[in-house]
Amino acid sequence: MKIPKGFRYAGVACGLKPQRRDVALVVSDAPAAAAGVFTANRACAAPVLDARDRVPAEGMRAVVVNSGNANALTGPAGLEDVAAIRAAAAQALGVQKRAVLTASTGVIGVRLPAHKIVEAMPALLEQLGDHADLAAEAIMTTDTRPKMTAREVVLGGKAATLTAICKGSGMIAPQLATVICVVATDAAVTPKLLQEALQRAVSRTFNMVTVDGDMSTNDCVLVLANGLAQNPRIAEPGPDLEVLEAALSDLCGEMARAIAADGEGATKMLEVVVTGAPTEEAARDCARATAGSPLVKAALFGSDPNWGRILATVGARAGTRGWAIDPFQARVTIQGVPVFGGGAPVDFDREALKIRMREPRVDALVELADGDARATAWGCDLSYDYVRINADYASMIVQKPDGMVAKEENVASYSPAFKRTLLAEALKYIAAFSGQVAVIKYGGAAMVKESLKEAFAEDVVLLKRVGLKPVVVHGGAPEVTRALEREGQRSEFVDGLRITDAASLPLIEMVLSGKVNQELVALLNRREAGAVGVSGKDGQLLRAKKLQHESGRDLGQVGEVTEVNKDFLRMLLKSSYIPVISPIGIGEDGGSISINADDVAAAVAAALGAKKLIYLTDVPGILESYPDGQLLRQLSAQDLAQRIAAGAITGGMKYKALAILRALDGGVERVHVLDGRQPHTVIAELFTDRGVGSLVYKQ
Ligand code: ADP
Ligand code: MG
């Protein structure tokens, strides 16, 4: 992304949140004109109290923004914490304290451990560069994606750039500046004109977004303009100011829409346009009220073209605010389809419109006949997840002794109703699975990241405790690749299969059977799982023959399973052991042969007559197309086979899919492909009605 001259960005993790970036620094190398708009909430946060009276101003050099903690409503300590951050940034950058602005977002009412931000200054300083992306990531809260954008303009013959980073998500309502947004530009402009332009831009953009109608304590939009574009300084209204303001509006508009689309729990964005209003104020009020109506939002979630709720909202505003609006004269259009006009409902194809309302963006147009003012507002739907996030979220926040605020992932902290549903659902499944064999192929991120490893081990042990009989088959691709690299060998893959020459096999075997297998067994047995590590050579567990790849290519010592010694496995299961199998088999010549773990898991599951076969991988599941397709939640073996034939499933997933088909053919009832990058997916898939990944069933 283009960054204005003389601006540098950084974003690091300082421990306000566990394991995520949580503090950003934006620096201007030259003194900048600054402007800002702030929340109208009187219960506002300390950084807002601090910054509000210091802009518009000249000579600003830096903005520090943290997420994880709002530094709001914490008493007099709040302003002391702001002062400590300003002092630390000023000292680190060699600028004056008054040249530093701050903003905070996150949990309200918990003292900000400012020392963590102070201690992060060296790391921020070191990182400073064109890292707007890292800064945008560091200011996220419940946002699901970072938000940033840039515009380029010509002012007085000079090219200038504007760049914004922004966060939104919940507690977002109009009538205030909303959200946290930092705009940097190299345009030269006086603070006064910059402030006026910003206020107008915000009134048309951020002030027209509503996610939940709740006014934040922390919202602010700050702009720094350092003049390094060397345009003649804008000091009077005129064409240059108009160009700058238009770019600022455009930039803020894009951020406002991004916020609406990414509202807490949102599945789609709503744009409401009101035209023909008697005044601009009336137009804005009606547009915002419509975008913010809980009934309109709930209808939107259900893709219900419920125009009555739209008209009712407009009529209610006209009645309460006294706008000279006659709703009976209005025309209402949803997704371009007229639904009300001429004082009466219009006939329309409800089913067709419902389908069109499933799109990620829905447009509602209300054409009044009472004047010529217009306004646009943005909002989002109201989903089950909004309530889930906000009902369960607050009770889950816990403060650690060092000031870190983390989410407590503990069922005890969920709302009673949610807990009841969850447990009742889970217990139903537990009863159904008791005594069943479940084969789990373990691989990818779940094998690498420490916290995910622990969560996996917990899940396996839990499965056993509730009466399932887990069998674990592991891959080990990353470890093997690293070991081969250390020996100066590069790995080549065909459909997720590593081409393996006879010379590298001993090393591969040592890594898989010796290292990866033993570590996994130890991880499980720290929880007294009763895990037993076996390779396919132990007890002649896996017999294999050299694999003939469909491409005709010779893959070397890569085999496919021909026979599983199921008596050996049954004996282990009967004695309550958890077999942990490394994917090395016995070849036709009696020597070792490497087998893809997907194939081993499928063959073992079929041999044991397992009800369940679970693949943990590094994608959400089987996707319609890779990488951007939708997740296929449920599909039949036949459907899967057709998708393979159509070429929609390739690479490692193709090999996995073929193994899945073999397993289903061999009698396995259900195969799950799960995202191993999320903790506890195995439990979430098995013990809930709507699983988390893809389920493939026989027919
Ligand atoms: P694993 O470690 O789980 O065996 P692989 O890399 O062998 O992982 O296989 C999964 C990969 O398959 C994905 O990361 C992706 O690159 C690829 N792939 C190809 N098509 C699809 C698809 N339709 N859905 C999901 N993944 C796909
Ligand atoms: Mg693979």
Side-chain angles (χ1 to χ4, degrees), residues 29 166 229 276 352 428 448 524 540 561 641:
D29 293 335
C166 184
K428 197 170 74 196
V448 182
L524 288 164
Q540 304 200 311
V561 179

Side-chain angles (χ1 to χ4, degrees), residues 441 496 596 598 652 656:
K441 188 250 161 150
N596 185 288
D598 295 344
K656 207 182 300 295

